[in-house]
Amino acid sequence: MAKLIAERADVIPQLAEIFRTYGFEGASLARITEGTKLGKGSIYHFFPGGKEEMAAAVLSEIDGWFSVNAFLPLREEALAAQGISRMFDEVQRYFLSGRKVCLVGVFALGNERDRFGAAVKAYFKEWVEALTAALVRNGRDAASATDLAEEVVAGIQGGLVLARALNQPKVFVRMLDRLKLRCA
Amino acid sequence: MAKLIAERADVIPQLAEIFRTYGFEGASLARITEGTKLGKGSIYHFFPGGKEEMAAAVLSEIDGWFSVNAFLPLREEALAAQGISRMFDEVQRYFLSGRKVCLVGVFALGNERDRFGAAVKAYFKEWVEALTAALVRNGRDAASATDLAEEVVAGIQGGLVLARALNQPKVFVRMLDRLKLRCA
DNA sequence: GTCTATAAAGCGATAGAC
DNA sequence: GTCTATCGCTTTATAGAC
């Protein structure tokens, strides 16, 4: 019988899903081996540092995804307005229109912030700064751009919380629409 | 030596603090006995249902606090604008100006939502509805009131996430100020 | 790279003395 | 109402065969 050989990179999205669902402490190795269809041996082969290394790898991948798909357009799109619009589209797509939660937000609220505080902080800082810069390029003064960028990033996170609490993904979509409008 | 006798009601705020800090799965009995200065025997005497009953009691107490201090003013203050203002003040005070996190929000994001989904949903539903009613009493049409209420509650939660992620409580205070202004 | 077996520690919960 | 001792289970992590 043929045997599937996994690669480290293949496992990370599965780990992300598990951490998102159960949090860091709730993501037991039993759940991890079940979710990845890999034995403990394989998991520890890829991540000798255990759960801590797994979570760090996941955070790093998430940050990479946002850097490329959301922050880069904000910074480099020739027309700032188009970069902002692109960011909103990618965010809506990434969070499955409110059916998927933000792992970095989950870690920010929990005590995981102590272990991964630097990564969590960097992710949000980068987001706010890139959006601020785009808003400035779009004609706003620095003060109101900072203010609005903060409001948008917080609003996105809050939209995810409320959408999930009420079990109404559309709450998140409505939130995005309002914020989009305010950036115009 | 005199012995301190605890009451169930005294323990609940301490439990709230522990669940807020570590989440449901992270709140081990070791942390609970340490945080409450009570033995397992005493804890299980108060909460025979174990952690599940503890968390339910905490959620119930939080809901009670908000009902009295935030939702009631929204519904019953003679001047709607004053009820809204009062809600914002109480919220800022409750969350220690951004230094304290919302346990219901934490549970909403995590898989605790499965166990406590009803309580989580009821809390946010009540909040949005009470604020909507106050905004209508304050002269808004129903549609824009619903919209704004949703934005405010989500914004508050997002403000808490971002403030904690950046380790800047003032981010939360600024968020409240913006939302307050928008309700005026 | 994958698996099974296993170790050592921590977990939630219970029992029973005081 | 409080405490200590203990049960049975799950946890993370390691070892070693394949």
Side-chain angles (χ1 to χ4, degrees), chain A residues 74-147:
Chain A
L74 282 176
R75 278 196 269 258
E76 311 222 322
E77 194 87 48
L79 294 171
Q82 261 183 31
I84 294 170
S85 171
R86 172 79 182 279
M87 183 274 282
F88 276 110
D89 290 347
E90 294 290 337
V91 164
Q92 175 158 351
R93 195 166 63 91
Y94 181 86
F95 292 115
L96 303 178
S97 299
R99 275 169 284 118
K100 178 169 154 182
V101 128
C102 179
L103 180 63
V104 194
V106 172
F107 277 19
L109 285 183
N111 83 325
E112 294 91 348
R113 206 206 43 168
D114 298 338
R115 290 174 191 245
F116 306 107
V120 167
K121 189 172 183 167
Y123 168 86
F124 283 111
K125 190 163 178 283
E126 209 185 339
W127 196 344
V128 172
E129 283 176 358
L131 180 53
T132 300
L135 289 166
V136 167
R137 284 202 298 131
N138 204 28
R140 286 185 187 263
D141 63 287
S144 86
T146 305
D147 204 65

Side-chain angles (χ1 to χ4, degrees), chain B residues 43-168:
Chain B
I43 294 285
Y44 274 88
H45 175 73
F46 290 133
F47 306 95
K51 277 175 67 175
E52 186 132 358
E53 189 178 343
M54 299 180 213
V58 166
L59 283 177
S60 170
E61 213 222 19
I62 292 174
D63 192 65
W65 191 95
F66 274 83
S67 287
V68 170
N69 295 285
F71 307 156
L72 195 73
L74 283 177
R75 278 196 270 256
E76 311 222 322
E77 194 88 47
L79 294 172
Q82 262 182 31
I84 294 169
S85 172
R86 172 78 181 280
M87 182 274 282
F88 276 111
D89 290 347
E90 293 291 337
V91 163
Q92 176 158 351
R93 194 165 64 90
Y94 181 86
F95 292 114
L96 303 177
S97 300
R99 274 169 284 117
K100 178 170 153 182
V101 128
C102 180
L103 179 64
V104 193
V106 172
F107 276 20
L109 284 184
N111 83 325
E112 294 92 346
R113 207 207 41 167
D114 298 338
R115 287 174 192 247
F116 305 107
V120 167
K121 188 171 183 169
Y123 168 86
F124 283 111
K125 190 163 178 284
E126 209 186 339
W127 195 344
V128 172
E129 283 177 357
L131 180 54
T132 301
L135 289 166
V136 167
R137 284 203 298 132
N138 204 29
R140 285 185 187 261
D141 64 285
S144 86
T146 305
D147 203 66
L148 182 52
E150 205 170 273
E151 178 177 0
V152 167
V153 175
I156 288 170
Q157 293 296 312
L160 291 171
V161 172
L162 191 60
R164 185 147 163 84
L166 296 175
N167 204 18
Q168 292 176 5

